[in-house]
Amino acid sequence: MEKRLETMRFVGKEEGRWYDYMGRIFSSFAEIYNYDYTISPLWNEKEPFRQNGMLYRIQGYLEQHLNEEVIPQKMFYMEPVYLKQQEQEFGYLTIGKFDEMEMAISISLAVRILEAFGLRDLVVLIQVKPMQEEVLSHYLDCLDISYQKREVQVLNCDGVAFQILYQKEKNITPLIQGGNLSHLSHEFKELSLQAFGFWGSFSSIYDWLKEEKSQQLDPKMLDVVVTYETELEKEKALYYTQELRLNGFKTECIFRNQKNFIRENYNTRYVISLKESLFETNELIITDLETNEKETVKEMDLIDHLDLNI
C-alpha cells in the first residue's frame, strides 16, 4: 500500500511565490528546448529515501522499453527528492544517442536557466576526457559558453561531468551539476545506456535570489474585489466572483466594504460594491481606488467594462 508523505515543508507566502516563479521558468525552458514533463511514482514504504530524480527517469525508461525508440528521449521534472527535508529538485535528462553537440546544448541550457534568474557571476567547471575536449569546446564556443577545467575527477568512466557555481566575493555555491549519468549507478554503466543531464535544487537558487535581490517579483495583484454585507448580497457576490474568474479576472469576494481595509489587505484598484437596492435594476457600483471615482454599471456590461479598464 502506498504511503503518503508524513511530513511536509510549508513555505511562507513570499518564498512560495518565488518557488512558483522558478517553476514557471523551468517549465518554459523545458518547452523551448523540447523536454517532456515527467512524473515519478508516489512514495511508498519500500522507498523512504530518494537520492536523485534522474535515476527514476532512467529506471522508468528501461521498464517501458523506451530504449527501443530511435529518437533520443528528453525529460524534465520538478519534484521532492528527500523525504525528511522535502527538498524540491528540478532536472533535465536526455536518454538515447547523442554527441558532443547535444552535451554542449545541455550545458548551455543550464547556464541560460540561471541567467534567466539574473545570476551573472557564474563559473562553469567541466571535466572532459581528452578525446572529447576539442569537439565539446568547439560547440560550447558556438553557444558562447566559457568554462574552466575541473581539477577534481568525479567520473570513473568515459564521459563529461560539469558543475555550475555561483561566485560572490569569497562565497562559492554549486547550483547545478550534471554530465554523463552512467557515473550515478554501475547498473546503467553495465547496460551501456547513454544518458546526459543536469539537476539542482530550488532552495539553493532561491537563497541566492533572496540574497542578491537581482530580480523583483511583481506585487501580487487582484483585478477586482467584490464586496457584500447582507446574505442576499453574499449570494450575488458568489455569482459575480465566479463569472469574473471564468472570464480570466483575478478576484476575491469579501464581507467588508471599507476602502482602507481593502487597500491594506488586497492589492487591487477596482472594487465592486453590491447593494440590494440596485438589484432590481441589475446595476453595480464600481469604485476606482486610485481616483476615488464611482461608476454605476449594468450587470450585462460588467465584463466589457472591466476589459476596457484593466
Side-chain angles (χ1 to χ4, degrees):
M1 181 177 179
E2 288 177 335
K3 183 179 181 182
R4 292 189 175 276
L5 293 175
E6 295 178 353
T7 59
M8 182 173 292
R9 177 173 177 267
F10 289 95
V11 297
K13 285 184 178 180
E14 185 64 21
E15 186 176 353
R17 291 187 64 220
W18 275 107
Y19 272 47
D20 176 66
Y21 168 71
M22 286 188 286
R24 284 185 275 117
I25 293 292
F26 296 141
S27 296
S28 66
F29 272 97
E31 183 175 0
I32 292 170
Y33 281 75
N34 196 32
Y35 282 76
D36 295 321
Y37 180 65
T38 59
I39 302 174
S40 63
L42 294 173
W43 305 85
N44 57 59
E45 293 179 352
K46 295 181 180 179
E47 188 181 37
F49 185 73
R50 286 185 178 177
Q51 293 183 336
N52 184 283
M54 292 287 180
L55 296 179
Y56 290 86
R57 268 72 203 171
I58 297 175
Q59 288 172 349
Y61 179 89
L62 294 173
E63 289 170 0
Q64 298 179 44
H65 305 289
L66 295 177
N67 53 319
E68 299 174 2
E69 298 283 345
V70 177
I71 301 175
Q73 304 297 302
K74 301 171 74 173
M75 307 176 190
F76 158 70
Y77 69 91
M78 296 184 295
E79 65 186 18
V81 289
Y82 295 110
L83 178 59
K84 292 183 178 180
Q85 298 176 356
Q86 274 289 277
E87 179 59 81
Q88 188 82 357
E89 183 182 276
F90 64 91
Y92 298 75
L93 172 67
T94 300
I95 304 178
K97 294 181 179 180
F98 56 86
D99 57 14
E100 286 81 5
M101 184 186 76
E102 291 295 334
M103 295 180 189
I105 292 173
S106 182
I107 296 170
S108 171
L109 168 59
V111 173
R112 302 310 176 208
I113 288 172
L114 296 178
E115 289 180 342
F117 293 117
L119 300 176
R120 292 290 181 265
D121 299 317
L122 301 173
V123 178
V124 181
L125 299 179
I126 297 180
Q127 173 193 330
V128 56
K129 299 298 180 180
M131 61 184 298
Q132 290 180 292
E133 183 176 2
E134 183 178 351
V135 178
L136 179 63
S137 178
H138 169 70
Y139 288 126
L140 288 172
D141 285 341
C142 292
L143 295 171
D144 197 26
I145 298 296
S146 300
Y147 73 95
Q148 301 174 17
K149 281 190 176 182
R150 186 172 184 172
E151 299 299 330
V152 179
Q153 301 295 297
V154 297
L155 289 181
N156 296 318
C157 59
D158 291 337
V160 173
F162 72 94
Q163 264 192 328
I164 301 179
L165 312 176
Y166 183 63
Q167 184 171 357
K168 187 66 176 179
E169 298 176 350
K170 296 182 178 181
N171 296 320
I172 300 177
T173 304
L175 298 180
I176 284 177
Q177 60 181 321
N180 289 94
L181 302 188
S182 54
H183 70 284
L184 286 177
S185 172
H186 293 295
E187 174 188 354
F188 305 126
K189 181 181 178 181
E190 292 171 0
L191 291 171
S192 299
L193 180 70
Q194 293 193 64
F196 194 92
F198 61 87
W199 63 93
S201 72
F202 276 63
S203 61
S204 58
I205 295 177
Y206 169 72
D207 289 342
W208 278 112
L209 289 175
K210 184 173 60 175
E211 179 75 18
E212 286 297 291
K213 298 180 181 178
S214 57
Q215 295 230 17
Q216 296 292 327
L217 293 181
D218 292 333
K220 183 179 179 181
M221 291 195 67
L222 294 174
D223 295 318
V224 61
V225 170
V226 182
T227 65
Y228 64 89
E229 291 182 351
T230 68
E231 188 63 30
L232 187 58
E233 291 170 1
K234 183 177 182 180
E235 294 177 7
K236 280 280 191 179
L238 180 63
Y239 166 77
Y240 286 127
T241 302
Q242 174 175 261
E243 288 300 305
L244 288 167
R245 287 170 174 163
L246 291 176
N247 280 275
F249 293 97
K250 294 176 286 186
T251 185
E252 274 289 1
C253 60
I254 64 172
F255 175 73
R256 298 175 184 272
N257 190 13
Q258 301 173 359
K259 292 179 184 178
N260 290 337
F261 176 85
I262 294 172
R263 284 194 177 99
E264 293 171 3
N265 294 276
Y266 297 92
N267 192 4
T268 187
R269 177 174 177 177
Y270 295 100
V271 176
I272 296 175
S273 304
L274 299 182
K275 300 292 183 183
E276 285 190 34
S277 59
L278 296 176
F279 285 179
E280 289 187 5
T281 57
N282 295 317
E283 293 177 324
L284 314 110
I285 298 175
I286 299 180
T287 302
D288 184 331
L289 295 181
E290 289 189 6
T291 64
N292 287 321
E293 295 179 353
K294 292 185 177 181
E295 189 173 358
T296 302
V297 177
K298 289 287 187 179
E299 177 184 321
M300 61 182 297
D301 299 326
L302 175 61
I303 302 299
D304 290 337
H305 179 85
L306 292 176
D307 273 332
L308 186 63
N309 289 278
I310 295 179

